[in-house]
Amino acid sequence: MCGHRELPYLIASAWRCLDHHRDRRCEKCTATGFCPVVEAARTRIRAWRRYRSVFGRR
């Protein structure tokens, strides 16, 4: 894979969630556009980025 490490499964799943919600809605999306699933995915990605910045790329 070109020397890059693979993403952890939960992070890859979070990115897939964001990609899915870019075009479509799920049953949990509200009329205002808020989705708790998207917020959870964003939170997970932010936490992973913070972890990487503190402990380095693993």
Side-chain angles (χ1 to χ4, degrees), residues 5-58:
R5 292 189 172 201
E6 292 187 35
L7 289 175
Y9 176 76
L10 292 176
I11 303 305
S13 295
W15 279 113
R16 280 193 296 276
C17 173
L18 294 181
D19 288 341
H20 172 81
H21 279 82
R22 192 171 292 136
D23 303 327
R24 301 178 267 316
R25 301 176 90 168
C26 73
E27 64 277 355
K28 295 182 182 179
C29 291
T30 64
T32 61
F34 175 80
C35 182
V37 177
V38 169
E39 289 305 311
R42 287 180 181 155
T43 300
R44 177 167 283 151
I45 290 169
R46 279 189 216 111
W48 176 67
R49 286 180 173 168
R50 275 193 308 273
Y51 176 84
R52 273 192 339 172
S53 71
V54 170
F55 294 105
R57 298 182 188 269
R58 296 176 183 224

